[in-house]
Amino acid sequence: MIRSFLRPLLPAILILLAPFLLASDGKDKHHVNRVILDAKRLPDVAWQSELRSMPAWSAFVAAHPQWAVEFNEASMMPHRAYGPAIPTSGASSEERAMGFIQQKLSAFGVPVDELVPMATLPTGKFTYVHYGQHHQGIPVLTGHLLVKLDAQGGVISFGTEVHDDIAVDMVPAVGEAAAADIASEGLEHVSGVSFEGLRILPVPGDRSMAHQLVHELLVHTNDNGHPGRYLCWVDAHSGLLWYRWDQIVDHRSCSGGHGSDGGDAGADVQVNATVHTISAIHPTSVQGLPELRLTINGNFLFTELDGSLATGIPGPVSATAQLRGRWSNVTTNGTTPSFNVTLNEGANTLMFDNSATQQERSAYWFVNQIHTHMKDLLPSFTGMDFALPTRVDLTTGTCNAYYDGSSINFYAQGGGCRSLATMGDVVYHEYGHGINDKFYQSLGASFNNGAMNEGYADVWALTLTDFPILAQGWQLNNNNSFIRRYDINPKVYPQDLVGQVHADGEIIAGAWWDTYQQLDDLDHALELFKEAYPGLQATAMNGNEGVAYRDVLIDALQADDDDSNIANGTPNGAAIVEAFGIHGITLLSNVNMTHTALESAVELDPIPVNANVTVTFPGSLYLSGVRAFYRVNDQTEWDDVLMTNTGGSNYTANFPGQPVGTVIYYYLAVEDVFGQLSSVLPVGAAQDDPNLPYNILVGFDLVATEDVDLLHELGEWTAGLPTDNATTGQWEATIPIPSYSGAQGSGVMVQPGFQHTPDGDFCWVTQNASGPFAGMGEADIDGGTTTLISSNINVSGYANPTFTYWRWYVNNPPGGANPNADWWQVYISNNGGTTWVPVEDSKTSDRSWRRNAIRVQDYVTPTAQIRLKFHASDSVRPGQNLDGGSLVEAALDDIQLWEEALSTQSIDELAPNVTTVYPDPATNELNVLLALNGARLLGFEVVDMTGRVVFTPPPSNGPFGDRQRIDVSRLADGHYVLRLILDSGRAEKRFSVIR
């Protein structure tokens, strides 16, 4: 069970990185993010399902079964897809990756000519091939394409955060000077502004993506020694400040700049110091200072890891020892602690205690420990192989530490806090920021996401200390104080996401710590971390933490995989999934469920509902059960039944039998181990503004049909009212011409190209375009409402009149503006249209023919003046994108009137021991012997066990009461009901077909 604990935020002094001006909740009050507006959003399971059903992914997964995907819901491109290895060919990883892109991803519209190689990184187990995107020579922010290869060169994962529909004015209207003023507005102590160039900024909307030309600037601030470096994106046309965020790291090049790393000589010096090896609350010990630089005769010599040095230089000789080595240069107020000494022939032991403070000595020791830890994990990474400036005892503040892109910095003891230079895990954390920064730089990327940066800095510390508490005893008078801890109160996504990078980073750091705990193997947890690290998950913009966290989980599982087929599980997959699940990081969107909708059922009999549910690892670990939800007539609350697995991927359940004249509404859903629903059928039926559920008519007879073809049994229909104001897209009865989201008849169908009536031609549509290759907006509904209305329908003598209709409604096609913003509305009136009662009022679209059923008595009293009205609208909202205009299409067909049937009795009840069906089971022919005591036989229906009428055999010739012969050769093996239509009602007899 996952639990969420809300804890008070630690005081602002607890943050371990950014010593900038903070609001009371720990957030920088100068931050601006108009790009990502909802950081807590979870994948929209309905939209994800729709995206998976689109042609490009459907074709891909048909060719490569068991692949899973999470789409970018705005760009509608696969954000991250993964599955069993797909073979490639090529002489290099780059050739293999590009061949895969060109051959397998062309249907997704990847702009291959705009891809720019970033880096190719082999890890030993995988090879990551990364590309950026430049449009007309301008970098696209967050534009990134990943291809991940296994050891044999097969593709096991890809991600396409690229854009093929960029249309922006590339000439800026706002100059650099104006952009600098906009970016700097409200910031204090601005010390300079640097221009990084023009960029294209993708701005996600609701199932749509816009693109803006922006200036990228860095605004530098310095508040009494507290640095700030704000990355800003200013719209180059409107001047809007889209984004301003204080960077945890900057991108200035770093160089050791401290002379040559001269060769080592003989062993005649031992350099020691009394240091904290854990933290200030633990005892000190004397340790050899590793990799320390000594200057002898103008040459630099360096101690070994144990602090020893064989100089090979005869003594006596003068030497200078500095608290400066290969990996750290400790300074206080700009001065590096040092002392001069004469080395005598033979052994010499030097102590730094009298020449450096405890915090200086300890900081030097800690930096060397974390550098060694990093090299053990990333031996080929050289980005931190320089003497990192390590500044201690800063007096411009207290209770803090930070990494600024070129140094790590620690304030002096004060304010009730120890110097954090004496806390090993704090030093490791700050150094971890440097690892994150320089490692991403080595791949041509930036560690953008603040929460990921804080979390991963903690991971570097935790995996070195093997201890879940960070900075225990950092307060002078409280050895039990701490800054963060990972053994209690796990932070959970999304509810614990608060927009403060340190707190939000606890989610991903906790997932890694719990992975270690679940595995009970730190080395293996570190191996998973190492293999996942080059995935560039942290290129995600602030506000996209959920996406980044899920990418980490995918890469961790693939790192654990041992056969390049993640779909069949991984050795430790359950433990990894559990660890990340503790923190709300899950992969739940790829369960595939299919179901044949039920439309009718026999009264009072249990109604069998069947589904096929296929799910591959890791989704299988989240599956708790499959549920069927139902409600009856005008009930508002849903009941549910747990479906039973009957073997393999098959699930079944029974809805309770219902009396004649009942309408059952239902939907199916997969339930995960967290009690949440996904893979809902029909798609969207469980959301707040629900899609239509399935519906079953129990014990109804069809009375009249309007099929827009041959049957016009419900009177006249009027397209358009005087109050309608749509300028295009008015209702018309016609043969539908499809429209598509892509050019030349490609992409997703928007207006249907087929009607619903079997063997029919016509339906009602909201105006045909000139042809299937016309733009999808050529004849859609624009500027208002279009109405289709019936004439009066007389149901005054009916016991339970019920209408059904089939509709198609789209308001969110790919590429359409302002998706999900406009209404489909259905009304019923019982007074000829004087007043109306709403039946449907929804902004949820469905690109398929879907049936709705409405019992008249659930809305109005049945009369002779029943009318139905169907509205489809494109709203106008001045000031919004395109003044709120959307791309909207609707269609309607097969409007039918039903009446509940006369009560059904069994044949045995009407004529005991007289009526017989034989043989039972039958093979090709069923004999029916009738003797119904004067009742008149009108006809037969054969009904399957789902309640569908599958066959309507005619009565055979012969006198009433003679044997009837029914050809059942067309029926599949199974159980059926023979329904007799009598002038006095209906009667039923069960039989089977077995061959």
Side-chain angles (χ1 to χ4, degrees), residues 493-513:
Y493 178 84
Q495 54 262 45
D496 289 335
L497 203 71
V498 296
Q500 203 284 330
V501 292
H502 302 86
D504 296 345
E506 291 183 60
I507 296 171
I508 190 63
W512 279 113
W513 176 260

Side-chain angles (χ1 to χ4, degrees), residues 422-456:
T422 64
M423 313 297 291
D425 45 15
V426 175
V427 178
Y428 304 154
H429 172 100
E430 301 307 333
Y431 196 93
H433 282 303
I435 302 172
N436 295 338
D437 178 24
K438 304 309 177 192
F439 187 83
Y440 267 50
Q441 284 189 26
S442 74
L443 299 181
S446 298
F447 212 103
N448 294 330
N449 191 270
M452 282 286 293
N453 207 338
E454 292 298 334
Y456 269 34

Side-chain angles (χ1 to χ4, degrees), residues 218-268:
L218 287 173
V219 179
H220 304 268
T221 63
N222 194 318
D223 181 8
N224 192 28
H226 296 193
R229 187 173 294 104
Y230 288 87
L231 174 67
C232 304
W233 296 328
V234 177
D235 197 297
H237 292 115
S238 69
L240 177 68
L241 178 60
W242 281 104
Y243 188 86
R244 181 169 67 192
W245 206 276
D246 201 351
Q247 295 299 281
I248 293 173
V249 296
D250 68 11
H251 309 294
R252 293 181 295 175
S253 62
C254 293
S255 172
H258 303 305
S260 169
D261 294 353
D264 293 338
D268 52 2

Side-chain angles (χ1 to χ4, degrees), residues 61 427 697:
V61 80
V427 178
L697 301 185

Side-chain angles (χ1 to χ4, degrees), residues 599-646:
E599 294 179 12
S600 62
V602 176
E603 58 269 26
L604 302 180
D605 284 353
I607 302 169
V609 183
N610 301 308
N612 185 278
V613 179
T614 56
V615 55
T616 58
F617 177 91
S620 54
L621 298 178
Y622 299 111
L623 180 62
S624 173
V626 181
R627 292 191 175 273
F629 293 80
Y630 70 96
R631 59 180 176 84
V632 175
N633 298 332
D634 58 349
Q635 290 179 352
T636 57
E637 299 297 323
W638 294 90
D639 293 313
D640 69 277
V641 293
L642 181 65
M643 302 185 75
T644 302
N645 182 264
T646 57

Side-chain angles (χ1 to χ4, degrees), residues 39 41 70 449 493 497 543-551 585-586:
R41 69 197 178 286
E70 179 180 329
N449 191 270
Y493 178 84
L497 203 71
N544 271 339
E545 284 74 27
V547 172
Y549 298 164
R550 290 190 293 276
D551 286 351
I585 304 169
T586 61

Side-chain angles (χ1 to χ4, degrees), residues 197-221:
L198 291 172
R199 303 287 188 263
I200 294 173
L201 173 65
V203 180
D206 185 3
R207 304 187 184 185
S208 64
M209 184 74 76
H211 300 92
Q212 307 295 335
L213 184 70
V214 298
H215 292 286
E216 181 172 288
L217 310 90
L218 287 173
V219 179
H220 304 268
T221 63

Side-chain angles (χ1 to χ4, degrees), residues 466-550:
D466 193 10
F467 188 61
I469 302 176
L470 192 72
Q472 186 174 24
W474 69 281
Q475 293 176 336
L476 280 170
N477 298 320
N478 184 1
N479 284 354
N480 292 319
S481 58
F482 62 89
I483 291 178
R484 286 186 288 279
R485 65 184 301 171
Y486 291 96
D487 56 341
I488 60 173
N489 300 346
K491 292 289 185 69
V492 180
Y493 178 84
Q495 54 262 45
D496 289 335
L497 203 71
V498 296
Q500 203 284 330
V501 292
H502 302 86
D504 296 345
E506 291 183 60
I507 296 171
I508 190 63
W512 279 113
W513 176 260
D514 283 315
T515 296
Y516 162 37
Q517 299 302 299
Q518 293 287 329
L519 295 173
D520 194 24
D521 185 340
L522 181 57
D523 289 340
H524 188 57
L526 280 169
E527 182 67 16
L528 301 181
F529 179 78
K530 179 194 79 170
E531 293 292 340
Y533 195 49
L536 298 187
Q537 307 92 347
T539 56
M541 193 183 305
N542 288 318
N544 271 339
E545 284 74 27
V547 172
Y549 298 164
R550 290 190 293 276

